[in-house]
Amino acid sequence: MEIPENVKKRLSIPFEENFFAGHTACQGCGAALGLRYVLKAYGKKTILAIPACCSTIIAGPWPYSAINANLFHTAFETTGAVISGIEAALKAKGYKVKGEDGVMVVGWAGDGGTADIGLQALSGFLERGHDALYIMYDNEAYMNTGIQRSSSTPYGAWTTNTPGGKKHFVEKRHKKKVIDIVIAHKIPYAATASIAFPEDFIRKLKKAQKIPGPSFIQLFAPCPTGWRSPTDKSIELARLAVQTAYFPLFEYENGKYKINMPNPKKEPKPIEEFLKLQGRFKYMTKEDIQILQEWVLKEWEELKKKAEIFG
Amino acid sequence: MPKKVVSGNYAAAYAAKHARVEVVAAYPITPQTSIIEKIAEFIANGEAEIQYVPVESEHSAMAACIGAAATGARAFTATSAQGLALMHEMLHWASGARLPVVMVDVNRAMAPPWSVWDDQTDSLSQRDTGWMQFYAENNQEVYDGVLMAFKIAETVNLPAMIVESAFILSHTYDIVDMPPQEEIDEFLPPRKPLYTLTDFDNPIAVGALGTPADYYEFRYKIEKAMEEARKVIKEVGKEFGERFGRDYSQMIELYKTDDAEFIFMGMGSLMGTVKEAVDLLRKEGYKVGAAKVRWFRPFPKKELYELAKNVEGIAVLDRNFSFGQEGILFNEAKGVLYNTDAHPIMKNYIVGLGGRDFTVSDIKIIAKNMKEIIEKGKLDREIEWYHLKR
């Protein structure tokens, strides 16, 4: 279908497509959609580094690639280090890095590769101040190896190594706040984003491109396979995560916090609305749900306070 | 030719600078530190245009180097012992992605117990990573080795490791000839990468999933590159000799082996001591020689055969050990000769582990032992832990 130019101009999501059909993601994969937006935002003048994660497979096996940008597959724990090296080499070779006409170096790693095994390299990348973007796509477990808990897995979630059983053994720790660890590095720009809010995500990607220095985006990306959720519910789930304040959208820019919720005045929806669509929470008791609900609201209040004080 | 009195580590740093490396990513570890300190100094003084990435670990150092090399830059790092072990995973990544990263490893013993002294087990443990390995006898060879390594690595698209001894070379000062920069530039022109991540109109994917239908062939191509490296090493070594007067065309350096009854074989700095001992032993009537294995990977199979078929015995001196087996060079050398008609008596002397002194008089004792074995035509024991306090 030919889209009229005046319509194209009104939309903030670029029409350019650099993530092609034929990729090998599961149905309803949030990460695949996220990757598509990244490539829409940055186009071909991008160097992507992808460590061990679902996206290693999603891009397709040699000699195929569904990604129309330069792509370096790397080891699990090295995303932060590899994009540092790529950035350094681009500078050595005289390329403009970041900025609207510069090369965008993007690390695209899952939550396990970021919050756990890759945290050290992420920290190194952030504190050294490289001109690159690190995106953690957060599907809240090690999905590529068959749904094991990561430190980004939420309280009460079933995974294959936190299975539910007679002793009610599911994940007992709350989700690690990776974005807070990132912000502690006092980098110029960090944000959360969701595949349910693509305009917001694209805007943040564009912002990360303009601001020199390291930037970080934590993208909420549902995984129907690991979450035991219907494949057509991924967007709805990602939206509910925001609406329940389970995964609030906000930006941190040079010391200032800004909350970007779709309806900022509205009270968060109850967490059950987010939980009930997913099989991974089926072992949760009422008390468990209460514990998670309280945690979510406490974190949300904390964020609002930060935005108030450092807004 | 300009000469400088430098440590082995400074020789490495000067060589990296003279090779016009573009990216250095490194993490400090004793006794490697003065290499990266010197490079940082070059940058601070405006003597070298290098993007220096002070990474948070050796694993990240190698990761950053492979990222830089994949982007087309000439990348360099240096490490030692535990640091090299931490890098191990990424060494595979460099060779698998066919990236000509060059690294200096300062041979240091592995902990525990903690040791900062010389031992080859760290580098030899990396034997199967697809890296070429060159063992330097002295500071000059560290310097020359780094320059040659870039040329060889960039020709065959495999990474290369230059190995020097902890303290014995790394912190010991010696005269090193350094050719004028213009002459080095002629010898080592800017890198022409096999591929880069900077052709934005024709993007590529590096290191993607290789299915069983293709993975095997990727491995074979690395082996083909190692085979090609044998030829390239000799050519580059010869060219180096023609340009700068020090010939490295032989993968094994032979010393007085022509008429030798038996020889000492080993790698790295201990071979300087061995050569001196050979001179003294010859005066005492021993018909001995020395064979210094310069390149451990690719392994000089043909050269070893040519040597072994003309001697009665080989004393393999290993400053390393593969537990449950034997010295690593000994193991490799015996294996190479099995399907040949060369069957010298071979004995393995484990020496100098963790920096234990290994001197000319030790070699004299070994020579006496070897002579007895050859006369009897029978080994007393195959492996001898030479310094063991019995």
Side-chain angles (χ1 to χ4, degrees), chain B residues 78-233:
Chain B
T79 190
S80 189
Q82 315 298 130
L84 183 60
L86 183 57
M87 274 182 189
H88 172 78
E89 180 197 15
M90 298 318 292
L91 299 193
H92 284 280
W93 220 278
S95 60
R98 305 296 300 275
L99 297 169
V101 178
V102 169
M103 160 164 66
V104 169
D105 173 55
V106 187
N107 260 160
R108 166 186 153 183
M110 298 297 297
W114 280 112
S115 167
V116 294
W117 296 278
D118 190 19
D119 190 305
Q120 298 167 334
T121 309
D122 63 342
S123 54
L124 290 171
S125 297
Q126 312 306 325
R127 170 182 90 154
D128 304 329
T129 54
W131 280 61
M132 296 180 280
Q133 288 194 6
F134 174 93
Y135 285 77
E137 179 193 322
N138 50 43
N139 296 357
Q140 184 69 59
E141 289 195 356
V142 174
Y143 178 87
D144 295 347
V146 170
L147 292 180
M148 285 190 288
F150 275 110
K151 184 152 181 155
I152 295 158
E154 289 168 13
T155 306
V156 302
N157 296 296
L158 284 179
M161 193 186 293
I162 302 303
V163 186
E164 60 160 323
S165 302
F167 298 103
I168 295 168
L169 298 189
S170 70
H171 286 64
T172 303
Y173 281 67
D174 201 355
I175 300 167
V176 174
D177 275 351
M178 297 183 190
Q181 184 68 56
E182 319 79 79
E183 289 179 29
I184 297 169
D185 290 345
E186 272 174 40
F187 169 73
L188 184 65
R191 182 184 160 206
K192 289 197 190 86
L194 184 67
Y195 64 83
T196 81
L197 300 171
T198 52
D199 183 351
F200 298 104
D201 294 320
N202 304 291
I204 52 166
V206 184
L209 180 76
T211 65
D214 297 305
Y215 182 87
Y216 191 85
E217 279 67 26
F218 276 99
R219 298 295 98 175
Y220 179 68
K221 285 185 174 179
I222 294 175
E223 176 49 18
K224 291 293 276 185
M226 274 286 180
E227 288 303 322
E228 190 197 343
R230 293 178 195 284
K231 191 167 75 60
V232 176
I233 283 167

Side-chain angles (χ1 to χ4, degrees), chain B residues 255 270-282 360 363:
Chain B
Y255 187 76
L270 64 83
M271 293 311 288
T273 314
V274 170
K275 285 187 211 165
E276 198 186 324
V278 165
D279 290 346
L280 295 169
L281 286 162
R282 286 226 164 224
V360 168
I363 300 157

Side-chain angles (χ1 to χ4, degrees), chain B residues 24 31 99 268 341 389:
Chain B
V24 171
L99 297 169
D341 56 9
K389 296 168 188 163

Side-chain angles (χ1 to χ4, degrees), chain A residues 62 70-71 73 77 93 128, chain B residues 56 89 197 204 206 209:
Chain A
W62 187 87
N70 284 298
L71 168 57
H73 291 274
E77 62 279 51
K93 293 276 173 198
R128 287 190 301 269
Chain B
E56 77 296 337
E89 180 197 15
L197 300 171
I204 52 166
V206 184
L209 180 76

Side-chain angles (χ1 to χ4, degrees), chain A:
Chain A
M1 189 184 73
E2 190 61 34
I3 291 126
E5 280 305 312
N6 60 335
V7 175
K8 278 189 187 181
K9 272 181 195 157
R10 282 207 305 274
L11 296 171
S12 63
I13 300 172
F15 269 76
E16 191 183 335
E17 203 68 78
N18 285 302
F19 183 60
F20 300 141
H23 65 75
T24 58
C26 306
Q27 274 188 17
C29 173
L33 199 53
L35 197 47
R36 183 176 166 219
Y37 291 135
V38 172
L39 290 160
K40 273 177 175 289
Y42 297 142
K44 286 197 287 189
K45 212 166 169 184
T46 306
I47 302 175
L48 270 176
I50 300 184
C53 62
C54 291
S55 300
T56 318
I57 310 299
I58 290 170
W62 187 87
Y64 308 107
S65 177
I67 290 170
N68 192 29
N70 284 298
L71 168 57
F72 193 79
H73 291 274
T74 187
F76 212 171
E77 62 279 51
T78 64
T79 313
V82 150
I83 58 176
S84 302
I86 292 171
E87 182 247 28
L90 286 171
K91 287 187 170 165
K93 293 276 173 198
Y95 285 90
K96 186 175 183 295
V97 188
K98 265 202 170 181
E100 272 175 66
D101 54 344
V103 181
M104 263 316 279
V105 182
V106 182
W108 171 263
D111 49 287
T114 304
D116 302 337
I117 196 170
L119 192 62
Q120 176 181 305
L122 168 63
S123 176
F125 156 71
L126 295 173
E127 65 84 11
R128 287 190 301 269
H130 295 278
D131 288 318
L133 166 67
Y134 191 118
I135 303 174
M136 161 188 175
Y137 69 93
D138 188 3
N139 52 29
E140 304 194 318
Y142 289 84
M143 298 311 184
N144 198 30
T145 42
I147 322 161
Q148 294 83 25
R149 63 90 67 178
S150 78
S151 58
S152 197
T153 300
Y155 179 88
W158 161 92
T159 69
T160 54
N161 61 349
T162 55
K166 278 184 184 157
K167 292 188 84 177
H168 187 63
F169 170 55
V170 288
E171 182 52 56
K172 288 291 181 197
R173 308 285 305 168
H174 286 296
K175 188 176 170 71
K176 186 194 270 184
K177 292 288 212 169
V178 175
I179 187 96
D180 289 350
I181 299 171
V182 167
I183 290 169
H185 290 78
K186 308 292 177 196
I187 59 166
Y189 186 69
T192 60
S194 164
I195 57 149
F197 298 91
E199 289 90 350
D200 178 72
F201 183 34
I202 296 278
R203 184 180 63 77
K204 285 167 176 170
L205 288 167
K206 293 281 187 193
K207 210 165 181 180
Q209 188 177 22
K210 277 192 204 113
I211 300 173
S215 35
F216 177 89
I217 293 176
Q218 183 172 349
L219 174 72
F220 195 75
C223 167
T225 310
W227 293 10
R228 300 292 191 246
S229 58
T231 53
D232 59 351
K233 294 287 182 199
S234 293
I235 302 293
E236 196 178 327
L237 275 167
R239 192 182 300 126
L240 278 167
V242 174
Q243 289 169 340
T244 56
Y246 172 80
F247 193 88
L249 298 178
F250 72 98
E251 283 168 295
Y252 168 89
E253 195 179 338
N254 291 314
K256 290 193 156 95
Y257 283 82
K258 191 180 174 195
I259 294 172
N260 337 97
M261 295 297 260
N263 299 302
K265 296 263 163 66
K266 239 181 173 177
E267 282 301 303
K269 288 184 176 181
I271 193 70
E272 283 98 326
E273 290 198 30
F274 172 66
L275 304 179
K276 70 185 180 191
L277 290 171
Q278 305 171 58
R280 66 173 169 155
F281 293 115
K282 71 175 180 185
Y283 291 97
M284 285 180 95
T285 61
K286 272 199 175 128
E287 291 75 38
D288 283 335
I289 294 170
Q290 191 52 35
I291 288 168
L292 182 63
Q293 179 68 79
E294 277 168 20
W295 181 81
V296 165
L297 292 177
K298 187 179 92 29
E299 292 292 324
W300 170 233
E301 287 305 317
E302 210 174 273
L303 178 65
K304 281 200 293 186
K305 233 170 247 164
K306 279 182 197 163
E308 212 178 285
I309 300 167
F310 306 111

